[in-house]
Amino acid sequence: MDRPRPFPTVAIIGLGTMGTGIAEVVARAGHEVVGIEIDDAAAHRAVAALESSTARAVQRERITESERGDILARFRTFPDLQAAADADLVIEVVTEHFEIKREVLTSLDAIVKPGAVLATGTNALSVTALASHTSRPDRVLGLHFFAPAPAMKLVEVVSTVLTSPETTDAVTELVRSFGKQPVAVGDRPGFIADGLLFGYLNQAAAMYEARYATREDIDAAMRLGCGLPMGPLALLDLIGIDTAQTVLEAMYQASRDRLHAPAPVLKQLTAAGLKGRKAGRGFYTYEAPGSATVVPDAETPAEAAGAGGGRPVRSVGVAGSGTMATGIAEVFAKAGYEVVLAARGQEKADKAVAALAASLDRSVAKGRLSQEQRDAAVARVAAAGSLDAFADVDLAVEAVAEDLPVKQQLFATLDKVCKPGAVLATTTSSLPVVAVATATARPRDVIGMHFFNPAPAMKLVEVVCTVLTAEDVRATVHEVCGRIRKHAVDCGDRAGFIVNALLFPYLNNAVKMVQEHYATVEDIDSAMKLGGGYPMGPFELLDVVGLDVSLAIEQVLHKEFRDPGLAPAPLLEHLVSAGCLGRKTGRGFREYARR
């Protein structure tokens, strides 16, 4: 086997944002970089960008002025492909169209030396098909960097059935020498990260198109409910709506999965020239083309004209004794509400209040709360052994098992116990709120308040109105969310609401990748954390949530929307049947030490 090639000279074809970023990475790693760009203005921008970024690095004492000079000297730009003749590795990052990339690669094939490696930066097109148009398919692969290339750690190294192992090994080692994390993937549209990401983005676009929720609420829900760095619609604007449409078209052609069929709104926006930030307008409107500053437009929600319109809430009842109920009670108590925490029996209620007090003790120990604030919050909470204690509460919040008959029975009891005008809220994450509401004689007073776990830390509450919910009940819950310092987003009464409806198909698709032996659990988790900026990989998250809980939510989504693409992955069903439920059982997609 030949020793890995050192690739002393690397040519980058196309000096747009991505090409410029890759050129910086390669030049900083000590390689001679030949930048090829037919647009003089783009070439000048690339040089200016490298000068600017290296100047900042000197200011931050990450490199010396001498090192900066060396980096700049290693980067030269040319207008013609012939400049790549002596390159050891050529990376094309031109427009994401097959014919354009094919023409570039076939031209390079005739120009570069026999031992040179050709790499395509595509994230949607077939690397195999591109390689087949060259005389060296064994030396062609995909190198998928993520934007911004200097900052993002992930690089997907895409081998085809024709790529030689020596080529893959040599390029993989090169990527490591850049300080990046290479992930080996096969040749299919989207690879790992985009293969999972774009399906999720497409579903968010479809959700917006259906007017199920506003663009602001969809984006806030995914940022605050999942800890993502950007909401899906803002991310589509950043990526480019035309680019997203191209990627999704390629994915759909390969998978025929309706979840990958581009939402019509993507085609409409692209046809209208509203391609996102680069055009100054996409899902949002920006200060100028290329600007990241969002400015108000016709869809921007009006500022709330002060509080009002809701029912007065002074006291809150929380039904349940589990982690979620205890956390919700803590949130209300810290915000100054009088709270009744009711469980099935006084002993359970007392234990729940003790757990609440212990949680507040931890906040005091961490300096997040004073002892006086802790004592005042605990004093506001009363433990009760039955729902009869809710007779005088203004808001009753149910947080019991995710079982419809159980919830319906509880709401029938609340209907008898609670005073007229009290707001009744369910924290369900997947059940129809209207089915809970109609268990009472006052469905206008019933609403969904979906808190996220852990309730004291998570800022999001999904506010779910049914077709029967009164407007002043919605206003009441929004006012309460403001007082308890939660961000309320409105959504309709359908399975999954916003977060779970977007999150769990993404998790399910990750399971399908493993099931199809396309990638490993570890590589998929790494790809989504390093390439997508996710706080946890999909399999880490599945094991934390619980595979049984995840399966139940996916079954509800599949039953509601009847889309074959939402059918739970058989591998997930098999693990649940085997009792491998994640961290709580010591084994899920990974094994964990028993506590």
Side-chain angles (χ1 to χ4, degrees):
M1 181 184 296
D2 295 337
R3 295 181 63 185
R5 294 174 179 274
F7 301 115
T9 302
V10 178
I12 312 292
I13 316 299
L15 294 177
T17 302
M18 181 58 78
T20 300
I22 296 171
E24 178 178 339
V25 169
V26 178
R28 281 178 175 244
H31 300 261
E32 295 292 326
V33 179
V34 176
I36 298 176
E37 174 57 64
I38 59 173
D39 182 344
D40 285 345
H44 287 305
R45 284 196 297 270
V47 172
L50 184 58
E51 289 174 345
S52 177
S53 66
T54 52
R56 288 194 300 272
V58 171
Q59 289 175 342
R60 295 168 183 170
E61 299 183 346
R62 293 176 179 168
I63 60 174
T64 65
E65 188 62 52
S66 175
E67 289 170 332
R68 176 178 185 254
D70 291 340
I71 292 169
L72 295 176
R74 286 195 289 268
F75 181 48
R76 296 162 293 150
T77 63
F78 301 87
D80 191 272
L81 290 179
Q82 195 64 43
D86 293 326
D88 304 288
L89 168 67
V90 183
I91 306 171
E92 70 75 14
V93 206
V94 299
T95 307
E96 190 75 352
H97 289 291
F98 184 85
E99 289 304 321
I100 294 174
K101 288 185 181 289
R102 179 193 60 76
E103 183 178 349
V104 167
L105 287 171
T106 52
S107 297
L108 287 167
D109 186 36
I111 291 170
V112 299
K113 55 194 180 186
V117 171
L118 302 179
T120 171
T122 184
N123 63 344
L125 304 175
S126 168
V127 179
T128 306
L130 290 169
S132 69
H133 286 279
T134 74
S135 63
R136 63 183 83 204
D138 60 318
R139 294 183 179 276
V140 179
L141 43 60
L143 267 184
H144 182 211
F145 287 77
F146 289 75
M152 299 299 279
K153 293 294 185 185
L154 180 71
V155 178
E156 290 176 320
V157 180
V158 189
S159 300
T160 75
V161 291
L162 304 171
T163 309
S164 72
E166 292 82 5
T167 298
T168 301
D169 291 346
V171 173
T172 299
E173 285 307 310
L174 177 71
V175 169
R176 286 199 182 95
S177 75
F178 295 157
K180 303 294 185 184
Q181 175 65 52
V183 172
V185 295
D187 182 23
R188 78 180 203 182
F191 313 130
I192 296 176
D194 285 354
L196 294 177
L197 177 65
F198 278 89
Y200 149 71
L201 296 177
N202 193 41
Q203 293 306 104
M207 184 179 280
Y208 165 82
E209 185 174 28
R211 293 294 184 260
Y212 174 68
T214 67
R215 63 190 180 183
E216 287 83 2
D217 280 354
I218 291 170
D219 279 354
M222 298 312 292
R223 285 189 293 104
L224 300 175
C226 296
L228 301 182
M230 293 183 77
L233 302 179
L235 183 54
L236 279 165
D237 275 357
L238 175 61
I239 291 168
I241 292 167
D242 54 336
T243 301
Q245 185 189 356
T246 299
V247 173
L248 285 164
E249 287 284 8
M251 289 173 62
Y252 179 68
Q253 289 299 321
S255 70
R256 295 297 171 180
D257 185 336
R258 282 172 51 194
L259 297 180
H260 298 151
V265 69
L266 299 176
K267 182 177 181 180
Q268 293 158 14
L269 289 170
T270 299
L274 308 180
K275 300 178 182 180
R277 281 193 195 180
K278 60 189 174 187
R281 188 175 164 196
F283 286 99
Y284 295 90
T285 301
Y286 298 88
E287 197 170 53
S291 170
T293 303
V294 175
V295 296
D297 59 20
E299 289 190 47
T300 303
E303 292 292 329
R311 304 176 187 180
V313 176
R314 289 173 292 273
S315 60
V316 178
V318 179
S321 58
T323 301
M324 185 56 77
T326 304
I328 292 170
E330 177 183 329
V331 167
F332 281 110
K334 285 194 295 189
Y337 288 100
E338 295 298 320
V339 179
V340 179
L341 201 164
R344 288 183 298 175
Q346 190 64 45
E347 184 179 353
K348 280 193 171 185
D350 289 338
K351 284 184 178 179
V353 172
L356 184 156
S359 174
L360 292 172
D361 287 337
R362 290 191 291 274
S363 294
V364 172
K366 293 174 181 176
R368 297 173 182 165
L369 208 65
S370 70
Q371 187 64 43
E372 292 75 18
Q373 290 171 320
R374 177 265 183 209
D375 293 342
V378 172
R380 293 187 193 106
V381 183
S386 81
L387 293 176
D388 292 340
F390 284 11
D392 293 321
V393 301
D394 302 302
L395 168 64
V397 180
E398 163 275 310
V400 299
E402 191 74 348
D403 182 285
L404 184 58
V406 170
K407 290 183 186 289
Q408 288 174 322
Q409 183 178 1
L410 187 146
F411 270 76
T413 303
L414 292 177
D415 189 29
K416 297 172 185 175
V417 168
C418 294
K419 64 187 181 184
V423 173
L424 311 181
T426 172
T427 63
T428 182
S429 63
S430 58
L431 300 173
V433 177
V434 72
V436 175
T438 51
T440 75
R442 47 171 125 179
R444 287 172 53 81
D445 294 339
V446 179
I447 195 167
M449 281 186 80
H450 179 212
F451 288 79
F452 287 74
N453 193 30
M458 299 296 281
K459 295 295 184 186
L460 183 69
V461 174
E462 289 178 319
V463 179
V464 188
C465 292
T466 75
V467 292
L468 302 172
T469 305
E471 176 55 32
D472 67 338
V473 169
R474 174 190 168 278
T476 301
V477 170
H478 271 265
E479 289 169 13
V480 167
C481 285
R483 185 170 167 186
I484 63 176
R485 296 185 172 184
K486 300 296 182 186
H487 186 105
V489 298
D490 285 308
C491 50
D493 183 21
R494 74 179 200 188
F497 310 136
I498 296 174
V499 173
N500 286 349
L502 294 179
L503 175 64
F504 280 89
Y506 149 77
L507 296 175
N508 197 43
N509 284 335
V511 178
K512 290 177 183 177
M513 278 190 177
V514 170
Q515 179 180 291
E516 294 163 6
H517 306 289
Y518 176 69
T520 66
V521 165
E522 290 72 20
D523 279 351
I524 293 172
D525 276 355
S526 292
M528 295 316 296
K529 288 189 290 184
L530 299 176
Y534 281 52
M536 298 179 77
F539 297 102
E540 289 177 290
L541 184 55
L542 281 162
D543 279 355
V544 168
V545 171
L547 272 58
D548 52 338
V549 173
S550 302
L551 176 60
I553 292 171
E554 288 172 11
Q555 288 170 332
V556 168
L557 290 171
H558 185 226
K559 182 178 179 181
E560 172 116 336
F561 297 108
R562 310 295 175 91
D563 191 320
L566 295 174
L571 176 59
L572 180 63
E573 294 176 320
H574 295 163
L575 286 168
V576 172
S577 296
C580 302
L581 309 183
R583 288 190 181 181
K584 59 189 174 186
T585 60
R587 184 178 176 186
F589 284 96
R590 291 182 172 87
E591 292 191 15
Y592 302 88
R594 293 278 186 171
R595 292 182 179 179

